[in-house]
Amino acid sequence: MTSPTRIVVDRSATGAPVPRRLFGSFVEHMGRCVYDGIHSPGHGTADAAGFRADVLALVRELGATVVRYPGGNFVSGYRWEDGVGPREARPVRLDAAWHSTETNQVGLHEFAEWADAAGLEVMEAVNLGTRGVAEAADLLEYANHPSGTALSERRRDNGRDEPFGIRLWCLGNEMDGPWQIGHKTADEYGRLAAETARMMRFIDPDVELVAAGSSNHEMPTFGEWERTVLRHTAGLIDHISVHAYYEEDPADPASFLASGAALDRYIGDVVDIIDATGATAPDGGLIGISVDEWNVWNQTRWNEVDKPRVFTGDWPIAPHLIEDDYTVTDAVVVGSLLITLIRRSDRVSMANLAQLVNVIAPIRTEPDGGPAWRQSTFHPFALTAKAATGHVVLPRVDGARIDTARHGTVDAVDAVATVDGDTVAVFLAHRDLEQSTAVELDLGRVTDVEAVVVTVPDGGDRHTTNSADAEPVSPTALPVEAGADGILRFTLPALAWVRLTARLTD
């Protein structure tokens, strides 16, 4: 056991409110996320529209609040008109982004109805790769204008009398990336994003717009891209995006477990750029940061092994793409990334775990009528989304420190808390791979203490995964002793993520 860890939560230290949009998700027309994921007409649980009830139940259990759609790389070559109107008349297209065939059997109408059933706010992305201002304006008018115009009447003819009322819109996707269809320089994209934003605001002044920031922190154009885009779009956009994926180097698991520190640094750098440029949103407030893609993803395997194979084969419908099997270690990292996002709620306005089903996702489905099931990463997300409400409190943590090759020295125990009325929730990630630590948690006087832990299951190791047959990586009760001095005491296992909730009594 390492040295003890003492955590003090000053409940009176009121921080930023926790945005409910912090617990967003992402559905892209990619791999088996849509087809054979949320939508599978032949499945035993499918409804009349072809959507799986078992997947819908897990999405609700996950507790996501927002869903970004329909991409992702896919959107940069997408014609939105292909996905409306009678299904039998919709064109089948090649999807160059993921070397697949797109049937267009799921489009705006079907997806919006599914999202409504799942309790998700739609965050729609417009194509600024192969298309531009006019097409984005057409989609907005089709979706949000009540009636009386050609496009709004077309929507009504297609079965949706009332507007969709979509508030959140992404202005393209990862336009700084050479892999992106219609890749642009910062000036090219900034100018296009500004003109698109201006036109969209003419049509619907109530929209919230997200400009595309850098695709990752390591892009050679990072920083200059943001400054240029903000110079063009200041006063027109509400948010700028951050995309962040992390993977384990088998020779350096300590750095992987400190990914939360990397995300914190990334967000901090974007905050500094926003503040230095003085860019404000249309309401005069600060531009928010939308971490609208984040997750654990084995990108090395995708780029070096899977992608060359996929992009030289046929053009399949809904192929198996990037279906990573998530481990105990991955679950702890996802939990720690959530801690970072909550800690940064003062500037992070929303965040989307990418993606929702099958593709690097917390939910998986089996083909040929098989079941849906929870990956290890499902649990820290669901438990956090349910309990992280109210405002943020940053605890004081005194304990062991860990040296990492990539991120310097970090706390062995990462922590954040939220307080909502008389309810407090504390979220902890223990990054030590070998040893447990005795924790003393000072919340003041509390009652009704409950704690659950996601850690290595009995008989498993840090590489243990879930499957359709068994879910050994699941939350279990963590014993907590409440002392007469008001201190909560418990043992935090090595490699663990914990959610503790309690009711304040003074």
Side-chain angles (χ1 to χ4, degrees), residues 298-375:
N298 191 337
Q299 293 186 73
T300 299
R301 187 183 66 211
W302 163 247
N303 287 315
E304 296 180 0
V305 179
D306 296 336
K307 186 176 180 179
R309 171 181 51 80
V310 169
F311 278 65
T312 55
D314 295 328
W315 295 79
I317 297 172
H320 289 255
L321 293 182
I322 319 183
E323 298 191 11
D324 287 5
D325 296 320
Y326 286 127
T327 66
V328 177
T329 313
D330 296 328
V332 173
V333 171
V334 164
S336 72
L337 293 170
L338 284 162
I339 288 171
T340 297
L341 292 171
I342 294 170
R343 182 185 294 119
R344 285 290 191 167
S345 290
D346 60 329
R347 302 303 292 269
V348 173
S349 48
M350 65 189 81
N352 297 327
L353 180 70
Q355 294 185 17
L356 185 58
V357 181
N358 286 328
V359 179
I360 52 171
I363 299 169
R364 289 277 291 275
T365 68
E366 296 302 303
D368 303 320
W373 49 277
R374 305 166 193 83
Q375 292 234 64

Side-chain angles (χ1 to χ4, degrees), residues 443-461:
L443 296 175
R445 299 292 179 179
V446 295
T447 187
D448 299 335
V449 178
E450 294 184 1
V452 291
V453 59
V454 177
T455 189
V456 176
D458 291 342
D461 58 29

